[in-house]
Amino acid sequence: MSQQRVYDHRMSSGRSLAGPLHKMLQDSDLPFRDFVEVALYYPELGYYAREGSPVGKTGDFVTSPHISPVFSFALSLLISEFGAFVGGETSTIVDIGCGDGSLIYSLYKPNAMRFWGVDRSLQRVKHRDGVQFATSLAAVPRGDAQLVICNELFDALPFARLVMRGEHLHELWVTERDGVLDWSEHEAEAKYDDYFAERGVELRDGQFVDVSLDWESLYEEICGFVTRGLIVTFDYGYPEKQLFSGRIRQFGTAAAYSGHQVSRDLLARAGEQDLTAHINFSDLERAGERSGFKTLFFDRQAKFLLAAGATEHELLAPLDDVRAGTADEALEVRQQREDARRLILPDGIGEDIRVLVQGKGVPEAGWSFQRKLF
Ligand SMILES: C[S@@+](CC[C@H](N)C(=O)[O-])C[C@H]1O[C@@H](n2cnc3c(N)ncnc32)[C@H](O)[C@@H]1O
């Protein structure tokens, strides 16, 4: 195992996770899944529990709403279409894993719909009028119809890291040796063997996989919230046959992000770098179907945004139609146009992120995002 350390509790300041982690690891080693839970969500010190938002051009990584307003523009078109389908009923629009709230604020319009942001931590939200926030979906009034958006929610859930050793599945744990974090391996809990057996997935000797049992349970919770409406999930991930293919992904998908750099050093700087793994979209799709949802769309983000009407945005208008005054303004517009194109070009984020739309009690066909473009 090459991934290790860059952690020394003796050198750390009081405002880091080093102290709490050292204390926990004195009592016992931690399954890597629990280490991720601490690193991302430990009160006040976890990566997503701190005040400053790590998302954005000056942060550690960017998400689609922070790349270009074209993303929320396309979603606004979908919300209008949704409003027209459900008629005069009271609709609730919820962004789960809303982070600093910028996406849900950009979708808000003063109309009969109610707009909610939900996040485990609301520390980063800058409150303005119109949108309400909660730390759990259970606190959100349903209304008559619901449109739920999850943008990079599931890839932020704590995940286990597992490796096949001969016939046996092992789980990676975190231990402390001389004040330095290191890996150890234990036979995996039965629930992980069951996970792969139930899905008919056979892992190769030496293959690593990253799995969250919370993908399915959180999606089930969302399905339980929606009585009539849509769940729109944007995330990094694949159907399970691709995700767990030993030929393509022998080392799993776990990665750490900091300052727009990706690293495989998952134990470094706990609480100061993002930890993420690609998700199993088949888990979500099946959980939805069990709850009476139909899959209306599953494909790449670029395709979804184009079909949903992204090109109607002025940033994607032909260059001849764009007017910019000064040279600085022209440069700014050029940058914004490039950012907008990043979302829809068939490479980068437009290619990597997949979109799953499931619906219940709504038309199964005729939505803009289902249009065939070519
Ligand atoms: C990668 S960030 C994405 C933030 C935002 N959606 C965006 O696109 O910029 C993931 C967010 O999901 C939140 N989160 C994680 N688990 C959650 C849960 N069970 N319920 C609500 N929010 C959760 C995290 O706190 C974090 O703000």
Side-chain angles (χ1 to χ4, degrees):
M1 303 280 322
S2 63
Q3 294 158 343
Q4 305 183 339
R5 54 191 288 172
V6 193
Y7 163 90
D8 188 337
H9 67 88
R10 292 162 303 194
M11 292 167 64
S12 66
S13 75
R15 295 298 298 161
S16 93
L17 273 177
L21 262 175
H22 173 61
K23 224 164 160 224
M24 283 177 219
L25 289 166
Q26 273 186 327
D27 294 339
S28 94
D29 290 354
L30 283 176
F32 178 66
R33 187 242 168 252
D34 294 356
F35 171 82
V36 180
E37 170 73 38
V38 172
L40 298 186
Y41 298 109
Y42 191 85
E44 291 176 30
L45 300 175
Y47 186 77
Y48 285 117
R50 290 181 298 164
E51 250 173 62
S53 175
V55 188
K57 288 181 181 162
T58 56
D60 289 330
F61 60 93
V62 278
T63 57
S64 301
H66 293 266
I67 291 177
S68 169
V70 165
F71 185 77
S72 60
F73 172 77
L75 280 177
S76 296
L77 294 178
L78 173 60
I79 291 172
S80 305
E81 203 177 346
F82 181 74
F85 269 137
V86 298
E89 299 183 55
T90 316
S91 306
T92 308
I93 314 298
V94 193
D95 177 13
I96 308 187
C98 66
D100 64 6
S102 49
L103 175 63
I104 192 71
Y105 274 123
S106 65
L107 297 174
Y108 168 71
K109 286 200 179 79
N111 58 21
M113 293 176 172
R114 300 189 194 117
F115 292 78
W116 281 82
V118 173
D119 203 287
R120 271 185 81 159
S121 163
L122 298 176
Q123 293 277 8
R124 288 155 284 149
V125 173
K126 292 171 193 69
H127 291 271
R128 285 180 262 149
D129 287 344
V131 177
Q132 299 181 76
F133 290 92
T135 51
S136 141
L137 200 49
V140 179
R142 278 196 177 91
D144 301 312
Q146 307 81 23
L147 196 166
V148 175
I149 298 160
C150 317
N151 190 57
E152 294 200 39
L153 164 67
F154 291 93
D155 73 358
L157 300 184
F159 57 93
R161 189 149 169 79
L162 304 145
V163 58
M164 203 69 190
R165 297 289 183 209
E167 302 277 285
H168 297 281
L169 190 60
H170 282 198
E171 182 175 357
L172 276 87
W173 285 52
V174 179
T175 188
E176 195 185 58
R177 294 192 184 99
D178 300 327
V180 175
L181 294 191
D182 205 351
W183 295 100
S184 64
E185 272 182 39
H186 296 247
E187 197 143 314
E189 281 185 74
K191 61 188 180 185
Y192 293 115
D193 288 300
D194 295 346
Y195 180 92
F196 291 103
E198 283 161 11
R199 286 156 183 78
V201 173
E202 285 185 20
L203 302 174
R204 296 181 180 193
D205 186 17
Q207 182 182 347
F208 286 80
V209 280
D210 300 292
V211 168
S212 174
L213 303 181
D214 301 329
W215 293 327
E216 195 171 33
S217 52
L218 179 57
Y219 198 79
E220 275 167 358
E221 190 187 327
I222 297 170
C223 291
F225 174 79
V226 176
T227 53
R228 176 170 184 241
L230 295 176
I231 307 173
V232 187
T233 306
F234 299 83
D235 229 313
Y236 290 98
Y238 302 98
E240 64 205 4
K241 291 285 176 290
Q242 271 172 277
L243 181 64
F244 301 125
S245 159
R247 196 173 50 80
I248 313 172
R249 261 174 281 283
Q250 200 198 335
F251 299 106
T253 62
Y257 283 87
S258 178
H260 298 271
Q261 301 291 318
V262 64
S263 140
R264 303 285 162 201
D265 198 348
L266 307 178
L267 303 185
R269 301 165 57 234
E272 288 163 37
Q273 59 173 6
D274 188 27
L275 296 172
T276 179
H278 283 33
I279 71 163
N280 179 1
F281 269 105
S282 310
D283 279 356
L284 275 49
E285 201 166 358
R286 271 191 304 260
E289 283 162 7
R290 280 198 305 273
S291 302
F293 283 78
K294 291 269 187 302
T295 296
L296 310 185
F297 182 96
F298 178 60
D299 212 318
R300 292 172 165 76
Q301 171 165 294
K303 236 173 158 179
F304 175 88
L305 293 178
L306 285 170
T311 51
E312 290 167 35
H313 194 282
E314 58 182 8
L315 284 172
L316 294 169
L319 200 53
D320 298 347
D321 299 348
V322 178
R323 280 191 209 105
T326 64
D328 281 353
E329 280 166 7
L331 268 181
E332 176 66 25
V333 169
R334 182 190 289 191
Q335 181 59 52
Q336 289 174 359
R337 284 171 63 84
E338 267 174 32
D339 290 342
R341 291 221 305 278
R342 273 177 70 193
L343 289 183
I344 54 154
L345 286 176
D347 59 8
I349 201 163
E351 167 84 5
D352 294 343
I353 290 204
R354 277 172 177 65
V355 186
L356 173 68
V357 185
Q358 291 196 309
K360 185 159 100 176
V362 294
E364 286 176 32
W367 295 90
S368 296
F369 56 76
Q370 294 172 315
R371 278 186 295 190
K372 294 271 171 285
L373 296 169
F374 348 94

